[in-house]
Amino acid sequence: MASSSVTTLAWGFLLGYLVLMIGLGYKGYRQTDSQDDYATARGGFGFLMLSLAYAATVASGSTFMGMPGMAYGMGFKVGYYAILYPVGAYIGMMIVARITKKVGDRFGSQSVPDFLGDRYQSPVLRVLAALVALFLLFYVMSQITAAGWLFDTILGVNYDVGIWLAGGLLLVYLTAGGTYADILTDGVQGAIMIAITALVAFMFVTGWGIEGGPVAVNAALPSQMQWDVHTSDQNATFASGWAIFLLLVAHIGFTALPHLGNKFFAIKSTQYMKKFMLASAVIGISLPLMFLGGIVGRAMGIQVQNPDAILPVLFMQTLPPVVAAFLSVAILSAIVSTADGLIIAISQIFANDLYRKTYVPMKDEQPDQSRIDQRALWISRISTVVVTVAAILAVRTPPEYLAVLLWVGIGGIIASYGGPYLVGTLREETSKTAAITAFVAGFLTFFVLHLGPRFGLYEGWFPYNQNPFAASGIGFMISCALTYVVSKFTEPLPEEHLNKVFSTRRSEESTGSDAHGTSGD
Amino acid sequence: MNVLEVLAVVVLGYFVFVAVWLTKIEDYLAEAEENRAETRSPNRGEPRGE
């Protein structure tokens, strides 16, 4: 429990934060007139705001609480996770961002599953991808749990009330402002997160509270946690160099998660894409330096019952109350900025992937586009409420297999989307058959290696049975390899469709920059 | 090498990748798209967009 001065200040910061988020939500509401606005905020943002929002969305509560906690318990080797995850995620981002934006604008794609359906002219792939992505609900649940715990620890609010406070905030601005509100709030939250990360990095470099800088910090750690120890036989995540390499591989596929991929639609134009990539790549790799806070806390001999609490406790014990209080807003920012993107992404599974792009075309009636869009907008708003409330209710008594179900979504997407999304972006020859085959094979690989053992069906193989990154990394590689190989032996998509997807000129025509369609001839 | 030194090398390699991607690969892909527009369009040789 925090001291009363920290709690009082934290409430002050929190109230300011709530007012700011709701104000930004209202601004998002003013900009949201259609289903496409709600789902994508298409072309609505410049590169800097979107970069901050993207980095904030990638970095979840895990970055701000889980990684410092892991570092507190395991030492420097956790740095491999902290650094390799953004390296992989932003390499993946660079591969898919431009094509996702371009194809999304041209076909009106409103989500990553929708993008896959449009890219491969495959309603089957769209529905498969949407069904796997539904499991991201458990990711939302994990974020709301973290928020409830944060309210309980720092603000002295009961966990059951804390989860409703966090969920209520999300409901207010997301239901009104959709993706506009999501990105506006995430951009501001990203700036808050950068400020705290810079402080933590400074504490490590100066050897905060320990004479002698980083060398002294290292020397103060137990020997198995020091920086010359790279792996641990006991821990599945860091069991070997191979397991660590798979951390990197899996996170290349992490970029396929729908709450990340849908951000690309929001950039003003593909001409800003390079600036967006550069800014995201720099901001994104800085935020996980938060793990150093766990190292400093351990080196200082701070005792905590729950390792995830090390950062708040470190701040409360060694920094002025006003800084410790501000940390609560930064952690809440990390949680909320991921949860809101996830909720929007899940709402689009119902409104766009299943209703607008699957149910409507299945009906024989001539569709009235504006009526369909109005309905889809309502479905978006209603499903935003339903998903948020369902997640809050579910975490009051977390399901037995919450951690496993969480990984059905994240690992399943990494393993299955990988080939169709990343390889299909680079290789226009990729066929529909290859994409569907790779999607199913990638998911099955992840199921066999990780989900089966975690559900207790059989023992499985170490470290894959305990390490979701290693299992999804293997699934990702199989998905990519199959996408490539099967495409060699199957019919490619029609030339006319590939022209629409990959040709620059068609892109310019569709966005109006080449209205007469004659430039470049 | 200790963990921090390995990570420093990884981050350096990452920024080299970012630099190469942004200065070379992105332009190469854009050029490939332009080539497709000029050589593979089904409407090649005809006015487009009308």
Side-chain angles (χ1 to χ4, degrees):
Chain A
M1 182 67 68
S3 69
S4 60
S5 59
V6 171
T7 302
T8 306
L9 285 163
W11 271 109
F13 278 122
L14 183 71
L15 287 176
Y17 168 83
L18 291 177
V19 170
L20 182 60
M21 293 302 114
I22 291 170
L24 292 170
Y26 179 71
K27 185 173 162 56
Y29 171 71
R30 297 282 303 272
Q31 293 173 281
T32 303
D33 294 324
S34 67
Q35 158 63 13
D36 198 52
D37 291 338
Y38 192 94
T40 68
R42 198 178 304 281
F45 289 93
F47 78 92
L48 190 56
M49 188 58 145
L50 199 60
S51 302
L52 285 167
Y54 190 84
T57 307
V58 172
S60 68
S62 169
T63 304
F64 272 58
M65 290 198 298
M67 283 185 198
M70 284 176 78
Y72 178 83
M74 286 185 273
F76 274 101
K77 63 180 77 65
V78 173
Y80 284 123
Y81 179 19
I83 298 301
L84 290 179
Y85 106 72
V87 166
Y90 288 94
I91 286 175
M93 178 269 288
M94 281 187 280
I95 294 172
V96 299
R98 191 172 46 84
I99 285 285
T100 306
K101 164 68 177 168
K102 205 174 68 167
V103 173
D105 283 356
R106 189 167 316 158
F107 290 90
S109 315
Q110 294 181 349
S111 67
V112 174
D114 193 19
F115 165 85
L116 292 174
D118 290 334
R119 159 70 179 88
Y120 293 105
Q121 294 184 306
S122 172
V124 171
L125 191 58
R126 181 183 292 113
V127 171
L128 281 175
L131 292 179
V132 174
L134 269 180
F135 282 87
L136 290 176
L137 175 65
F138 298 101
Y139 199 171
V140 180
M141 287 165 58
S142 73
Q143 298 301 306
I144 289 180
T145 303
W149 176 88
L150 177 72
F151 275 102
D152 190 80
T153 307
I154 298 182
L155 298 164
V157 175
N158 186 278
Y159 169 85
D160 285 332
V161 178
I163 56 178
W164 281 104
L165 279 175
L169 169 65
L170 287 163
L171 272 181
V172 168
Y173 73 77
L174 281 183
T175 310
T179 300
Y180 271 105
D182 171 25
I183 293 174
L184 282 168
T185 53
D186 287 4
V188 172
Q189 291 175 122
I192 294 171
M193 291 156 70
I194 288 172
I196 286 293
T197 305
L199 176 61
V200 168
F202 175 78
M203 290 172 79
F204 173 75
V205 170
T206 57
W208 199 255
I210 299 170
E211 286 290 324
V215 174
V217 169
N218 180 56
L221 295 174
S223 60
Q224 74 276 14
M225 293 187 186
Q226 293 185 355
W227 58 31
D228 54 352
V229 179
H230 297 261
T231 58
S232 167
D233 294 343
Q234 311 301 317
N235 187 285
T237 306
F238 307 104
S240 62
W242 173 243
I244 290 172
F245 172 71
L246 288 174
L247 266 174
L248 170 67
V249 172
H251 282 95
I252 294 173
F254 191 81
T255 198
L257 264 65
H259 68 301
L260 301 177
N262 68 359
K263 296 284 188 293
F264 305 138
F265 303 133
I267 198 160
K268 275 182 180 163
S269 158
T270 48
Q271 74 185 83
Y272 295 102
M273 201 51 94
K274 280 188 182 180
K275 289 179 181 173
F276 164 73
M277 289 176 182
L278 181 60
S280 301
V282 174
I283 296 167
I285 202 159
S286 65
L287 294 179
L289 292 176
M290 291 298 289
F291 88 96
L292 294 170
I295 303 265
V296 172
R298 185 71 185 215
M300 290 179 72
I302 293 173
Q303 297 296 316
V304 288
Q305 284 186 327
N306 175 4
D308 288 353
I310 182 58
L311 217 52
V313 174
L314 172 71
F315 273 45
M316 283 188 280
Q317 290 194 7
T318 66
L319 292 169
V322 67
V323 181
F326 186 68
L327 175 72
S328 62
V329 171
I331 295 176
L332 192 60
S333 294
I335 296 167
V336 167
S337 62
T338 299
D340 58 8
L342 286 163
I343 291 168
I344 290 289
I346 296 171
S347 75
Q348 291 319 303
I349 293 171
F350 296 106
N352 180 69
D353 305 342
L354 298 181
Y355 171 70
R356 195 175 77 96
K357 286 292 192 74
T358 303
Y359 174 73
V360 170
M362 278 168 57
K363 291 177 69 181
D364 291 335
E365 301 164 17
Q366 190 71 20
D368 175 348
Q369 202 54 48
S370 69
R371 198 170 159 196
I372 288 165
D373 283 347
Q374 277 304 312
R375 273 190 196 158
L377 180 57
W378 273 107
I379 294 171
S380 293
R381 289 196 158 123
I382 291 168
S383 50
T384 295
V385 175
V386 171
V387 166
T388 309
V389 172
I392 296 168
L393 291 174
V395 297
R396 292 180 69 194
T397 313
E400 187 182 356
Y401 287 112
L402 174 61
V404 186
L405 293 167
L406 168 75
W407 276 98
V408 176
I410 301 175
I413 288 170
I414 290 171
S416 57
Y417 284 39
Y421 194 28
L422 280 94
V423 177
T425 291
L426 292 175
R427 295 195 80 251
E428 56 190 66
E429 301 89 341
T430 305
S431 72
K432 184 196 303 187
T433 310
I436 295 173
T437 306
F439 186 98
V440 174
F443 187 85
L444 286 178
T445 303
F446 180 65
F447 189 97
V448 169
L449 289 176
H450 186 73
L451 295 178
R454 292 300 301 274
F455 280 120
L457 302 178
Y458 46 87
E459 191 177 344
W461 305 272
F462 185 83
Y464 308 105
N465 53 357
Q466 294 178 30
N467 180 348
F469 298 115
S472 57
I474 296 286
F476 173 79
M477 289 193 287
I478 287 178
S479 178
C480 290
L482 276 178
T483 304
Y484 180 83
V485 172
V486 176
S487 291
K488 294 275 183 196
F489 303 100
T490 48
E491 196 69 17
L493 287 156
E495 187 75 7
E496 190 180 0
H497 178 70
L498 291 178
N499 273 335
K500 282 186 188 172
V501 173
F502 288 102
S503 153
T504 303
R505 181 164 295 105
R506 289 299 183 95
S507 173
E508 290 166 350
E509 284 169 5
S510 72
T511 55
S513 60
D514 181 19
H516 301 289
T518 53
S519 72
D521 283 348
Chain B
M1 289 174 85
N2 68 41
V3 172
L4 288 188
E5 288 165 343
V6 173
L7 291 178
V9 172
V10 168
V11 171
L12 192 64
Y14 166 72
F15 280 116
V16 169
F17 176 89
V18 171
V20 170
W21 187 276
L22 294 182
T23 57
K24 302 286 182 191
I25 311 284
E26 275 291 311
D27 292 340
Y28 168 79
L29 292 172
E31 193 179 329
E33 289 168 9
E34 186 62 32
N35 289 340
R36 165 176 274 281
E38 290 184 0
T39 62
R40 302 171 74 171
S41 167
N43 299 323
R44 190 174 50 205
E46 299 170 10
R48 282 182 295 273
E50 260 77 54

